[in-house]
Amino acid sequence: MTETLETVRTDLFIGGDHRTTAETLEVANPAKPGVIVGLAASASKQDVADAVAAAKSAFPAWSALTAVERAAAMADAIAGIADERDVDAAVLSQENGKIRFESWIDALVFEIRWNLALMHAEEVDQGKVLPVAPGIPVETMVNYQPLGVVTVIVPFNWPIAILGASLPHALLAGNTAIVKPPPSAPLATTRVVQRIAEKLPPGVLNVVTGTDENMAGLIQNTDIAKVCFTGSVNGGKRIMEMASKTLTRVTLELGGNDPAVFLEDAIIDDTHLDRLYAAIYDTTGQICMNAKRVYVHNSRLDEVVAGLSERLERAVIGYGLDEGTTMGPLHSPVQKAFVEEIIQEAKDAGADVREFGELPGGDLAGGNFLRPAIVVGPDSSLRVVTQEQFGPVIPIIGFDSEDEAVALANDTWGGLCGSVWTADSDAATRVGGKLVCGYVWVNDHGATRLDLRAPFGGMKQSGFGREQGIEGIRAFQDTRSIATIDAAALAAQAH
């Protein structure tokens, strides 16, 4: 591969200091074969151990502060983070592949989530008192305490935004942290986190990039109290298996096979079709909470197919930084090959597969580009239905009754998100309450409409634990109960 002239370079950040490494990660541009976006430091096992030690050393002083004091330090640390957002977005677009606007929003959401977490500062240290009760002659104070050193591991698709769902909550709770950006797209995330870490006490926030084989210490070091991982189901299983060796706690936010259910009375106009299109094809389909299966009442199926087709015909596939591009490449050749395979499988099975758009040429020829597709009425056993596509293809399947729709929607391994599309609020509540997943939208779907204040996380193999909100903060704390004997109550009990 050949380097570009303006190669981005990032270091490790450990204990308040930048650290270079002998080895580096070459970060490829998924749109332009042979082009390197930048070089990231590649940590050794000793670098990882040093990061854990630095975070452990910083923990006593950081955890001794009140949550309000930590919030003040964190507010100062993020001040001015937007000053380099245009550059951050350009870097992320090149290493990830997605369009510039999405990359810009990626970094913006991180800042929003950070500030929303700080709004809970007054609540974090609030415990409760359990008074003396019949047969219980003690008054018990229940308080919250931080866990210690936590590791936050984020994926390639929305790395900065996803980091914002857990990192500020972990820090506000009183923990110190080590962030591990994705090895295939570490540059922009590292840039953002380092600028914040430089303004916090040394060791409170650390950044480690590198190959997975050197990263076991971020999970299995006995000084790691918790790992928060966002990624694939198989990745989550590996993290959980590794963490079991040291009984390290885990929060897992994994993939989804999210259903969008259009009831018979659904409003299918341009506004709602635009929402559905974004819910499926944003980031070229590479978002865990994207709609992955669309179920439509048979009387309305043709309307949804026509509406999506019309929008797909206007899709512009190309380089994420080019003006007018609406859909970039898939992030990796492996993922491109998988999506091609499940589309071909659907074709071979006789499914109605419709593809749209033109692949780019020139210096983009051979990039990880795919024509977006819809698969109308496929057999439910096909992988385009049963597996998370994580690409620009969606099955659209008809149903006749509400009960059938709910059964189809829940017939899957995952339970991250879902949506109900209807003009009837009672039907929305009824059907939404039957979907086995952690988050449900009504007449919308996807990351653009996620309430960043609400707890978020999956059910079944989509993971467990919750991020965001006070629930996300409590996920990085434990309770401590202190019981004091009440002499009078004890004496009365004796009689």
Side-chain angles (χ1 to χ4, degrees), residues 164-283:
S166 56
L167 176 62
H169 306 77
L171 295 176
L172 185 62
N175 304 282
T176 53
I178 304 166
V179 172
K180 180 191 174 295
S184 61
L187 303 171
T189 305
T190 299
R191 283 171 48 88
V192 170
V193 177
Q194 284 185 352
R195 297 205 302 277
I196 294 172
E198 288 168 352
K199 298 181 181 180
L200 291 170
V204 168
L205 178 55
N206 309 272
V207 189
V208 175
T209 51
T211 57
D212 288 344
E213 59 258 31
N214 287 338
M215 295 296 163
L218 293 179
I219 302 165
Q220 293 182 311
N221 188 314
T222 53
D223 289 327
I224 295 291
K226 178 167 183 171
V227 177
C228 186
F229 172 84
T230 303
S232 69
V233 173
N234 286 336
K237 290 177 179 178
R238 287 194 296 272
I239 294 292
M240 193 172 179
E241 182 179 7
M242 293 175 68
S244 70
K245 303 293 193 297
T246 45
L247 290 180
T248 301
R249 303 173 193 217
V250 294
T251 286
L252 301 177
E253 199 274 87
L254 309 178
N257 195 18
D258 299 359
V261 178
F262 280 73
L263 299 182
E264 186 174 6
D265 69 342
I267 303 168
I268 303 176
D269 57 13
D270 283 343
T271 297
H272 291 78
L273 285 166
D274 285 345
R275 292 175 183 174
L276 178 63
Y277 179 80
I280 297 167
Y281 296 104
D282 273 0
T283 318

Side-chain angles (χ1 to χ4, degrees), residues 309-333:
S309 297
E310 179 187 352
R311 283 154 180 79
L312 285 165
E313 286 166 357
R314 300 197 298 266
V316 179
I317 307 167
Y319 190 46
L321 295 183
D322 286 349
E323 201 71 32
T325 295
T326 65
M327 189 175 294
L330 289 166
H331 182 61
S332 75

Side-chain angles (χ1 to χ4, degrees), residues 107-180:
L108 172 65
V109 170
F110 174 85
E111 182 180 13
I112 293 172
R113 279 175 157 160
W114 186 282
N115 290 325
L116 285 173
L118 299 188
M119 292 173 65
H120 292 284
E122 298 280 355
E123 191 178 355
V124 171
D125 291 335
Q126 288 181 5
K128 62 181 177 181
V129 176
L130 305 178
V132 170
I136 305 177
V138 297
E139 178 182 271
T140 303
M141 174 66 75
V142 181
N143 288 320
Y144 295 96
Q145 58 187 326
L147 302 176
V149 180
V150 302
T151 296
V152 184
I153 303 174
V154 294
F156 74 85
N157 57 340
W158 281 76
I160 311 173
I162 288 171
L163 185 62
S166 56
L167 176 62
H169 306 77
L171 295 176
L172 185 62
N175 304 282
T176 53
I178 304 166
V179 172
K180 180 191 174 295

Side-chain angles (χ1 to χ4, degrees), residues 407-446:
L408 288 168
N410 288 334
D411 184 19
T412 187
W413 50 269
L416 191 58
C417 303
S419 59
V420 183
W421 304 68
T422 175
D424 182 346
S425 60
D426 290 338
T429 301
R430 182 176 63 250
V431 175
K434 294 177 181 177
L435 297 182
V436 183
C437 57
Y439 198 102
V440 177
W441 291 273
V442 176
N443 294 326
D444 209 336
H445 191 123

